[in-house]
Amino acid sequence: MSDSPPTMLAGDEVVLLQRLRSGDDAAFAELVQTRGPRLLVVLQRYLPQDQDCQDALQEAFISAFKALARFQGDSSLGTWLHRIAVNCAMMRIRSQKRSRERPIEDYLPKFLADGHRQNPGAAWAITYDTAVADNETRELVRQSIDALPESYRLILLLRDIEERTTEETAELLELSVANVKTRLHRARQALRELLDQHFG
Amino acid sequence: MAETLDGTELTCRQIIDFVQAYLDGELPPREQTIFELHLTICPDCVNYLQSYQATQALSKLTGEDEPTESPIPVDLIQAILAARKKT
């Protein structure tokens, strides 16, 4: 009798997983050809160089192949591969020498001597619903995230977009939990300032 | 005599420093009370808090878009499949 299918996998993923676990060459080719293009886009958000993205993609698939036997199906195959790819990108980033980046203070809100904000601006004229419906708004947010200093951008991506925990983010970036919290707050503040120019 | 708190015990600068801790529910009760009192007298900080929350929501939204695809070079596919054979 075969094991019951893992709960988070779609029917076609269960079949694909069974083929992968049986060592079916065609299944591995199918996995790389169908999942690779999306993973490459994910990696391009983290790694600016094409060669790094391609190397990380290869590392991600090899890690996934090795971990197939341990995959419990507690997420979809796509989500599982996505996490592995981001982890590979982080390992690659950690191993690279970091270039100098613009100080985060340049992006943070400025204050008067009495503690009031300089140029507080108006309430934002944007709602979540309009943002959902508007591709241009989402593209503007994406570009603003990309404009953040690298070390802060990575934390924002991991915490607010990938929804990794603070502890997981700290481990991936080899930072303390307290440092991740502080940097995340600064990253959000900096992004808010960038978006304020458009929405405030 | 019971201590009387008001929203002027923190400056806008301090409020902004504490926004994340407030939203995460990590402020001690006294600081949380002062934070919320400050919001009742400072529309600029209310706007800041709302735009900070909007920033988080908008960031999250960019991750929910259906991902686009970037074609993989054929030789990379072959390299990945060949590397599998070696593992």
Side-chain angles (χ1 to χ4, degrees), chain A residues 25 28 36-38 41 44 111 115 117 120 123-124 131 138 142 161 163 181 185 188-189 191-192, chain B residues 12-13 16-17 20 26 44 47-48 51-52 55-56 58-60 62 65-66 68 70 72 84-85:
Chain A
D25 286 346
F28 283 96
R38 282 191 181 184
V41 171
Q44 284 164 349
F111 296 90
R117 206 157 32 111
W124 281 11
R138 293 202 303 280
R142 207 170 278 121
I161 297 178
E163 298 185 306
K181 284 186 180 182
H185 183 41
R188 287 172 176 167
Q189 285 182 290
L191 180 59
R192 198 215 73 89
Chain B
C12 298
R13 179 174 204 148
I16 287 171
D17 280 345
Q20 181 172 267
E26 291 179 350
D44 285 346
N47 286 345
Y48 191 92
S51 57
Y52 186 96
T55 299
Q56 276 180 269
L58 290 169
S59 297
K60 190 165 181 286
T62 67
D65 280 350
E66 188 62 23
T68 52
S70 185
I72 309 185
R84 177 198 146 229
K85 299 270 187 189

Side-chain angles (χ1 to χ4, degrees), chain A residues 23-25 28-29 32-34 36-38 40-41 44-45 54 57-58 61-62 65-66 109 111-112 114-117 120-124 126 128 131-132 137-138 141-142 145 156 160-161 163 181-182 184-185 188-189 191-193 195 199, chain B residues 11-21 23-24 26 38 42-45 47-73 75-85 87:
Chain A
D24 179 348
D25 286 346
F28 283 96
V32 175
Q33 282 164 353
T34 58
R38 282 191 181 184
L40 198 53
V41 171
Q44 284 164 349
R45 288 206 84 175
Q54 294 191 10
L57 185 68
Q58 181 161 343
F61 273 116
I62 299 303
F65 297 160
K66 286 180 181 167
F111 296 90
L112 303 170
D114 64 1
H116 285 91
R117 206 157 32 111
W124 281 11
I126 184 170
Y128 185 77
V132 168
T137 299
R138 293 202 303 280
V141 175
R142 207 170 278 121
I145 292 171
L156 191 105
D160 285 351
I161 297 178
E163 298 185 306
K181 284 186 180 182
T182 303
L184 175 63
H185 183 41
R188 287 172 176 167
Q189 285 182 290
L191 180 59
R192 198 215 73 89
E193 292 300 309
L195 295 177
F199 303 146
Chain B
T11 64
C12 298
R13 179 174 204 148
Q14 289 168 312
I15 289 291
I16 287 171
D17 280 345
F18 290 147
V19 161
Q20 181 172 267
L23 292 173
D24 290 346
E26 291 179 350
H38 183 97
C42 183
D44 285 346
C45 283
N47 286 345
Y48 191 92
L49 178 68
Q50 288 172 345
S51 57
Y52 186 96
Q53 288 176 294
T55 299
Q56 276 180 269
L58 290 169
S59 297
K60 190 165 181 286
L61 202 57
T62 67
E64 289 171 359
D65 280 350
E66 188 62 23
T68 52
E69 299 190 350
S70 185
I72 309 185
D75 57 350
L76 178 58
I77 294 175
Q78 288 169 347
I80 292 169
L81 296 174
R84 177 198 146 229
K85 299 270 187 189
T87 57

Side-chain angles (χ1 to χ4, degrees), chain A:
Chain A
M1 196 176 93
S2 64
D3 292 336
S4 56
T7 53
M8 295 303 286
L9 294 178
D12 56 343
E13 289 192 324
V14 174
V15 174
L16 180 60
L17 190 58
Q18 284 168 347
R19 290 171 56 210
L20 292 166
R21 284 178 171 160
S22 71
D24 179 348
D25 286 346
F28 283 96
E30 182 183 326
L31 186 76
V32 175
Q33 282 164 353
T34 58
R35 309 302 175 118
R38 282 191 181 184
L39 294 177
L40 198 53
V41 171
V42 170
L43 289 165
Q44 284 164 349
R45 288 206 84 175
Y46 291 91
L47 300 164
Q49 305 291 333
D50 280 350
Q51 190 57 53
D52 276 339
C53 292
Q54 294 191 10
D55 290 348
L57 185 68
Q58 181 161 343
E59 288 158 9
F61 273 116
I62 299 303
S63 296
F65 297 160
K66 286 180 181 167
L68 273 173
R70 298 193 304 277
F71 177 51
Q72 299 288 316
D74 46 6
S75 67
S76 73
L77 205 50
T79 301
W80 181 65
L81 289 168
H82 180 114
R83 289 179 68 85
I84 292 173
V86 171
N87 290 355
C88 287
M90 288 302 130
M91 283 199 310
R92 192 156 274 272
I93 288 166
R94 284 205 314 259
S95 69
Q96 290 170 342
K97 193 175 174 207
R98 193 160 282 169
S99 56
R100 278 178 75 88
E101 58 187 27
R102 200 170 152 193
I104 193 70
E105 287 72 20
D106 290 358
Y107 299 80
L108 298 181
K110 307 288 184 291
F111 296 90
L112 303 170
D114 64 1
H116 285 91
R117 206 157 32 111
Q118 277 180 10
N119 311 315
W124 281 11
I126 184 170
T127 67
Y128 185 77
D129 289 342
T130 55
V132 168
D134 184 10
N135 286 335
E136 278 182 30
T137 299
R138 293 202 303 280
E139 186 53 33
L140 175 66
V141 175
R142 207 170 278 121
Q143 287 172 6
S144 301
I145 292 171
D146 288 346
L148 294 173
E150 179 69 1
S151 62
Y152 291 86
R153 188 178 73 88
L154 290 175
I155 289 179
L156 191 105
L157 288 175
L158 288 170
R159 287 286 289 114
D160 285 351
I161 297 178
E162 298 289 334
E163 298 185 306
R164 300 291 181 103
T165 64
T166 305
E167 290 74 16
E168 221 178 341
T169 304
E171 192 177 331
L172 281 170
L173 296 174
E174 295 183 329
L175 296 170
S176 69
V177 165
N179 201 343
V180 168
K181 284 186 180 182
T182 303
R183 285 169 169 264
L184 175 63
H185 183 41
R186 289 186 183 150
R188 287 172 176 167
Q189 285 182 290
L191 180 59
R192 198 215 73 89
E193 292 300 309
L194 292 173
L195 295 177
D196 195 45
Q197 297 164 19
H198 304 280
F199 303 146

